[in-house]
Amino acid sequence: MIIWVLYDIGKDKARTKAAKRCQQAGLYRVQFSCFLGTLTQNQKDTLQLQLEELIDEETDKVYIFPMSRGELQQTALLGQAFDKKLVTDEIRALFF
Amino acid sequence: MQLHISTYGTYLHVKDAMFDVRRKGEDGKVINATYSAEKVTHILLATGTMLSTDAVRLAMRHNVDIVFIEQQGDPIGRVWHAKLGSTTKIRKRQLEASLGPDGLRWVRSWLLAKLDNQLGFIRSLKKHRPQHADFLDDKLIRTEALALSINTLASATGSATCVADVADTLRGLEGTAGRLYFETLSYVLPKEYQFNGRSSRPAQDAFNAFLNYGYGMLYGKVEKTLMMAGLDPYVGFLHRDDYNQLSMVYDFIEPYRGWVDEVVFRLFTAKKVNKSHVSEVSGSKTGQSLNTDGKSLLVNAFNEFMDNDPIRYRGRNLVRSHCMQLDAHQFANELIGKTGGLPDLIKL
């Protein structure tokens, strides 16, 4: 499923770690504290637990939103937007 | 996703437990891109590139297949964790079957599946080419006759109890069928793309260059498929045992070659291929090989066909890569007596 992760985390160290966890899980950075990508249910649960450990529950906020493929297709993207095909895993090969 | 690394000097290493690809851009600046190990399925490295051992370890932890390829696309080696895909029992039975009547039965079913796919493809060509109907019908009849010979050769003559008894005849029939088939493909192609039979190392024309690279990719895929099913890629039934000969890969690939043919043929008939996709092989007057643009065109088309375009298969909608894996598992299971009956022929 397509997953959005958005957060506001106060501490620099925790914030950096949160960003890395999201990327390691296979999400792509679409804005500074906003990640998007396709995950399995298990991967999503793992990420959720990892983020839970990092944050300060009193001050920080993390949102994990699922989104359907159909909804993503209707999304309007303006300016320097992300690559829809990349985040939905439709790109099968990259060349270097 | 697959990472194809073929530009000279590109470096693959690990950064934050993710794969990081680094290379110098044309302006001398370092470009790098990071990919999660969860997302990468294959890493294909051509010669002239670099790889760190940590990247190898990360790949093995995540079941990522690292394949080393020649610039022409032929796989020369791979890094895979040191475990069998399944039980050794399968390998023992595979060895037994290679010497007995079971092996013959399988070889026949693969060859017939291949011929059946070739016939199917020629028939599909006929639909939109009424002007070539006579030529195509003639080829169809001759290929059907060859299929019949393969079928009877292996079953009716009680004398043949293992592949070795009829191997040469089978190879001959298969070769003749192949020649007829490629003659047909060439005949219906636009004039400028027509070719004169198969050629490799180097290919003599663009069509063969595309085919060779496509088969190269398919070899790699089949080898992995066999390993995952617990089969030994080196123990073949029909193909000769030789030093480092991936005989089982060459046996097992037959029914699926048609997929490459179809992808390549479609690229050519849709006029997607032009002069910018192939370059001349240095040191050879007529040799042709794919360049970076050509590779990217073919790889994308092939991946799309294999992994994004489901077909109806054994009552389910599956992408072609899964069909192949399913066949390999069924083959392995039948070897150890878990299922009955031969698989359905693979229909294109």
Side-chain angles (χ1 to χ4, degrees), chain A residues 8-89:
Chain A
D8 252 330
I9 296 175
K11 283 207 174 104
D12 288 354
K13 207 169 171 185
R15 196 169 56 240
T16 315
K17 278 196 173 164
K20 283 198 179 144
R21 295 290 166 270
C22 290
Q23 285 174 323
Q24 282 162 357
L27 297 178
Y28 298 96
R29 193 166 211 159
V30 295
Q31 278 179 25
F32 275 118
S33 39
C34 173
F35 290 81
L36 171 64
T38 310
L39 298 184
T40 63
Q41 185 68 45
N42 276 340
Q43 288 169 326
K44 174 187 159 256
D45 292 347
T46 313
L47 181 62
Q48 187 180 330
L49 290 170
Q50 285 172 339
L51 293 178
E52 234 172 78
E53 278 187 5
L54 285 173
I55 59 165
D56 177 355
E57 291 199 3
E58 298 300 312
T59 54
D60 299 341
K61 11 190 192 293
V62 175
Y63 309 111
I64 302 177
F65 298 124
M67 184 192 234
S68 73
R69 241 158 232 276
E71 280 160 345
L72 183 71
Q73 286 315 321
Q74 291 170 36
T75 313
L77 302 175
L78 308 173
Q80 294 294 311
F82 59 84
D83 185 344
K84 266 187 196 170
K85 282 200 163 163
L86 190 68
V87 299
T88 51
D89 282 355

Side-chain angles (χ1 to χ4, degrees), chain B residues 40-61:
Chain B
V40 177
T41 54
H42 296 76
I43 296 171
L44 294 102
L45 290 153
T47 46
T49 57
M50 292 177 280
L51 172 71
S52 81
T53 44
D54 285 341
V56 176
R57 193 178 69 161
L58 182 66
M60 286 196 276
R61 292 245 162 107

Side-chain angles (χ1 to χ4, degrees), chain A residues 20 23-28 37-39 43 86 89-96, chain B residues 1-4 6-7 16-18 21 23 35-36 38-39 296 299 303 307-308:
Chain A
K20 283 198 179 144
Q23 285 174 323
Q24 282 162 357
L27 297 178
Y28 298 96
T38 310
L39 298 184
Q43 288 169 326
L86 190 68
D89 282 355
E90 277 171 65
I91 292 183
R92 299 275 179 182
L94 290 169
F95 297 85
F96 298 97
Chain B
M1 82 178 72
Q2 307 170 345
L3 301 181
H4 291 252
S6 54
T7 313
D16 299 332
M18 289 180 282
V21 187
R23 73 157 174 207
Y35 299 96
S36 158
E38 303 278 343
K39 291 286 171 205
S296 130
V299 172
N303 285 338
D307 294 314
N308 266 356

Side-chain angles (χ1 to χ4, degrees), chain B residues 135-338:
Chain B
F135 181 87
L136 295 175
D137 276 334
D138 172 53
K139 298 286 177 188
L140 280 173
I141 291 165
R142 286 160 64 183
T143 311
E144 274 162 6
L146 288 166
L148 193 70
S149 319
I150 290 180
N151 205 357
T152 49
L153 169 83
S155 59
T157 54
S159 57
T161 51
C162 70
V163 184
D165 295 346
V166 287
D168 286 335
T169 328
L170 279 179
R171 275 188 215 114
L173 290 168
E174 184 196 359
T176 315
R179 257 192 308 285
L180 286 176
Y181 175 66
F182 286 110
E183 255 172 55
T184 319
L185 292 195
S186 172
Y187 184 81
V188 294
L189 275 178
K191 268 273 178 303
E192 66 267 32
Y193 296 133
Q194 290 189 348
F195 57 96
N196 191 12
R198 290 276 294 128
S199 57
S200 57
R201 288 167 204 278
Q204 299 300 313
D205 49 77
F207 195 84
N208 274 298
F210 269 79
L211 273 187
N212 292 342
Y213 200 87
Y215 290 149
M217 284 194 287
L218 196 63
Y219 286 135
K221 240 178 156 52
V222 170
E223 190 185 348
K224 189 184 178 198
T225 305
L226 291 174
M227 289 197 305
M228 300 230 307
L231 294 155
D232 189 335
Y234 290 91
V235 176
F237 290 178
L238 175 63
H239 285 85
R240 276 174 248 264
D241 302 328
D242 212 333
Y243 293 105
N244 303 326
Q245 177 90 318
L246 286 160
S247 311
M248 184 41 84
V249 174
Y250 300 133
D251 285 351
F252 195 78
I253 202 173
E254 295 301 351
Y256 313 104
R257 281 185 194 272
W259 288 343
V260 175
D261 304 340
E262 191 176 339
V263 171
V264 173
F265 188 81
R266 279 190 195 167
L267 285 177
F268 275 81
T269 44
K271 309 226 163 157
K272 294 261 171 67
V273 181
N274 54 47
K275 287 221 166 58
S276 72
H277 293 121
V278 284
S279 349
E280 276 174 18
V281 178
S282 57
S284 153
K285 271 191 191 138
T286 49
Q288 304 265 327
S289 77
L290 293 196
N291 57 25
T292 316
D293 284 348
K295 284 176 194 170
S296 130
L297 175 75
L298 177 60
V299 172
N300 284 326
F302 184 70
N303 285 338
E304 177 72 19
F305 190 75
M306 291 298 283
D307 294 314
N308 266 356
D309 177 23
I311 50 172
R312 194 77 187 158
Y313 191 65
R314 291 198 224 164
R316 287 196 280 167
N317 292 331
L318 295 175
V319 296
R320 290 177 174 85
S321 293
H322 290 170
C323 299
M324 212 158 82
Q325 189 67 60
L326 206 66
D327 287 338
H329 280 301
Q330 191 178 345
F331 172 45
N333 275 334
E334 217 216 324
L335 281 177
I336 55 172
K338 272 197 179 158

